[in-house]
Amino acid sequence: MARSAGPSASEKLAVRLASIASILVVWWVASLFVGSRLCPAPPAVLDFMVRETLSGELPRHLLITLGRVAAAFVISMVVGSALGLAMGRSARINALAEGWVILLLNAPALIIIVLAYVWIGLTEAAAITAVALNKIPNVAVTVREGARALDPGLTEVARVFRFSPMKELRHVVVPQLMPYLAASARSGLALIWKIVLIVELLGRSNGVGFQISLYFQSFDVRAILGYTLAFVAVMLAIEYLLVQPVERRAYRWRPQAA
Amino acid sequence: MRIDRKAFRMAEGGTLEVLRDVAFALPARSFTCLIGPSGCGKTTTLRILLGLDRDFSGHVDPRLATARIAAVFQEPRLLPWRTVEENIRLALPEALVEAPLAPILDAVGLAEAARSYPAELSLGMARRAALARAFAVEPEVLALDEPFVSLDEATAGRLRELLLELWRARPTTVLMVTHNLREAVALSERILILGGRPAGIMGDVEVPPHLAAGGTAGVEAFLADLAGRFPGLVGP
């Protein structure tokens, strides 16, 4: 048993750090070959990040982008989960919504963004709607699979003991959907922040996406890498400090957590 | 009397008729066993009684739909993400939600395991938790679907004792499905025998009071008599 449990926590941490270090090494070597104009070395980028942070520019744009990511994330998780659950449990709702879901699922993000700006206007609401519309169908499709896999035996227990709908949702349905919700939350975060940058590039005058488009016009690779790195660091922090602890708590009933 | 009379005829899977003209009444606070060969429709009967299967023609006493019911299924069916205590408390109706659970947990010997998750329990313990959940709601009607199946004989025997103790302490209307005649005789006051295809009630036997009271004298003769009248019934 002890052996099959896999590497210890400290071993896992070492492997993780080695993985990050290898990225830095590849980057540094590449910058030596390509030259600092096209690919500045890590210290130059770090220097830029420190200066931008001290001037307040980087934190300001980062917070604006994070706010948009959070808003779009919450909206698409809530709407997508509700839609997916309804589609998984009712064949009629599934038939009704499926066309819309397939349409949105396959519509290129760019088209949805452009149409949202044209129809709603160059506003914050349009930006967040466009991002949410890109993510909602993914959440709905994933959660629908979860809703179809619900254990009918436990649903019967809820019926016999006369659980109220809210009680059934909270204690019977949502715990069974947890793996599906976690999967769509994780892939959702990754997809949403990518799309938020495009939305900012196309129709907003602040945020990380806007800054990157600005520095793209002057071919300032150092600044582009600096903003990217700052954002990736924030997303990693969210993964390790928020997503994983929440997951561990949700799965504490499992006999042996990984 | 909670239930007067139920009759149902049903067809399942389009054409396959499983039950025909099954009608019986359960007097209040009586312990009845429904027995028959496997696959004859015992569980289906129970599911109709519990309101879990509405695709049938016939009639179930409407009072059942509002009565406080409880069930113990073939599998324990506990919520894996809630502790034993939470599983029981969640099943409680509004009126009992604050009730202390220590007595029922003590009665089934799970006081120590109250904070365990179902995955940490043995099958016997999980079945005891399911029994505790059913009795904790103080049901007017209790349905048991082979609650002791796939347990070793000693554990099953202890759980039968426990069931009788709980029932004597708080008599309620019980319908238990089993395919074990000896178990039925040991527990119930009355045995309904289901058989045939499509299945119907083939016999309705009162268990002699001294046997229902836990006596053992004459069990063999009674079993032999039943086996003679309903061939193919007696299991191990």
Side-chain angles (χ1 to χ4, degrees):
Chain A
M1 270 318 276
R3 266 303 16 155
S4 67
S8 71
S10 59
E11 272 177 85
K12 259 194 271 185
L13 185 68
V15 173
R16 251 178 219 160
L17 289 178
S19 157
I20 293 171
S22 73
I23 299 173
L24 278 177
V25 169
V26 170
W27 176 8
W28 212 317
V29 170
S31 76
L32 291 178
F33 281 98
V34 181
S36 67
R37 203 179 123 64
L38 287 181
C39 183
V45 174
L46 199 69
D47 178 55
F48 170 83
M49 284 167 73
V50 170
R51 265 191 297 112
E52 286 282 294
T53 307
L54 291 178
S55 76
E57 275 295 280
L58 191 140
R60 187 169 72 86
H61 291 289
L62 204 58
L63 277 178
I64 289 168
T65 299
L66 276 176
R68 289 184 184 130
V69 168
F73 178 77
V74 169
I75 292 172
S76 37
M77 283 306 288
V78 169
V79 176
S81 304
L83 183 64
L85 186 59
M87 287 175 78
R89 299 195 99 178
S90 154
R92 189 174 299 163
I93 295 176
N94 186 48
L96 208 64
E98 198 163 37
W100 288 93
V101 167
I102 292 174
L103 176 80
L104 285 174
L105 202 55
N106 292 293
L110 192 59
I111 293 178
I112 296 178
I113 295 166
V114 169
L115 286 179
Y117 277 142
V118 170
W119 287 338
I120 305 177
L122 286 172
T123 62
E124 202 61 47
I128 288 170
T129 306
V131 179
L133 279 178
N134 272 297
K135 180 56 192 168
I136 286 169
N138 297 45
V139 179
V141 168
T142 308
V143 172
R144 177 176 65 179
E145 291 313 311
R148 285 177 177 163
L150 288 179
D151 182 353
L154 295 179
T155 309
E156 287 182 2
V157 168
R159 288 231 332 249
V160 166
F161 290 102
R162 314 242 199 268
F163 281 26
S164 68
M166 270 317 289
K167 197 175 179 186
E168 186 180 345
L169 186 70
R170 180 164 159 224
H171 298 287
V172 183
V173 175
V174 169
Q176 290 185 76
L177 292 180
M178 265 316 286
Y180 300 87
L181 292 173
S184 52
R186 185 162 284 150
S187 69
L189 223 47
L191 181 70
I192 281 174
W193 86 261
K194 288 171 192 171
I195 298 176
V196 164
L197 291 205
I198 302 178
V199 166
E200 288 174 344
L201 185 144
L202 287 176
R204 299 276 79 203
S205 56
N206 49 27
V208 175
F210 172 77
Q211 286 297 94
I212 286 179
S213 79
L214 211 64
Y215 287 117
F216 169 61
Q217 281 157 28
S218 56
F219 282 102
D220 189 342
V221 181
R222 196 181 51 149
I224 292 173
L225 285 179
Y227 269 96
T228 311
L229 219 57
F231 208 90
V232 168
V234 170
M235 297 318 276
L236 276 177
I238 291 176
E239 165 77 25
Y240 287 121
L241 301 180
L242 206 69
V243 178
Q244 292 198 2
V246 166
E247 257 188 329
R248 266 198 296 279
R249 196 180 141 66
Y251 292 140
R252 69 195 184 285
W253 55 273
R254 287 195 176 162
Q256 69 277 334
Chain B
M1 282 281 274
R2 297 303 318 171
I3 309 149
D4 298 329
R5 187 168 177 75
K6 300 176 304 311
F8 36 71
R9 254 178 294 264
M10 67 159 293
E12 211 176 59
T15 51
L16 182 66
E17 199 178 351
V18 181
L19 299 168
R20 176 181 291 171
D21 294 334
V22 176
F24 55 88
L26 299 173
R29 298 195 183 78
S30 65
F31 197 131
T32 307
C33 264
L34 187 62
I35 195 166
S38 47
C40 76
K42 304 185 295 287
T43 298
T44 308
T45 308
L46 208 64
R47 288 171 51 82
I48 291 173
L49 181 98
L50 286 171
L52 294 175
D53 188 340
R54 299 183 201 278
D55 187 19
F56 68 102
S57 55
H59 175 74
V60 176
D61 192 315
R63 277 177 293 169
L64 258 178
T66 53
R68 195 183 289 169
I69 55 175
V72 179
F73 297 93
Q74 282 180 26
E75 322 82 41
R77 294 201 190 173
L78 302 168
L79 301 174
W81 36 85
R82 296 287 181 262
T83 63
V84 169
E85 193 177 348
E86 289 167 340
N87 261 286
I88 298 172
R89 183 149 327 266
L90 279 171
L92 298 180
E94 294 288 329
L96 289 173
V97 115
E98 299 295 326
L101 294 181
I104 187 75
L105 283 168
D106 276 336
V108 298
L110 284 177
E112 306 279 301
R115 285 175 203 291
S116 302
Y117 287 99
E120 296 157 0
L121 304 180
S122 69
L123 182 60
M125 290 164 89
R127 288 194 189 286
R128 273 186 276 157
L131 264 182
R133 176 173 66 180
F135 273 94
V137 310
E138 301 184 359
E140 293 162 287
V141 179
L142 173 61
L144 303 159
D145 189 1
E146 304 199 35
F148 312 126
V149 76
S150 73
L151 286 177
D152 62 84
E153 200 38 52
T155 311
R158 274 201 302 279
L159 282 180
R160 277 182 210 122
E161 299 267 309
L162 176 63
L163 171 62
L164 269 185
E165 269 170 41
L166 289 169
W167 180 69
R168 288 203 187 103
R170 198 188 164 285
T172 177
T173 309
V174 177
L175 181 65
M176 177 165 127
V177 159
T178 177
H179 58 246
N180 182 338
L181 185 59
R182 197 177 287 273
E183 175 176 279
V185 171
L187 287 173
S188 63
E189 305 163 307
R190 176 180 170 218
I191 300 178
L192 294 168
I193 293 143
L194 206 61
R197 181 153 288 275
I201 302 267
M202 295 173 71
D204 185 345
V205 184
E206 295 283 333
V207 176
H210 74 280
L211 289 182
T216 49
V219 172
E220 298 305 325
F222 183 66
L223 285 173
D225 172 48
L226 278 180
R229 281 158 62 196
F230 305 101
L233 237 194
V234 181

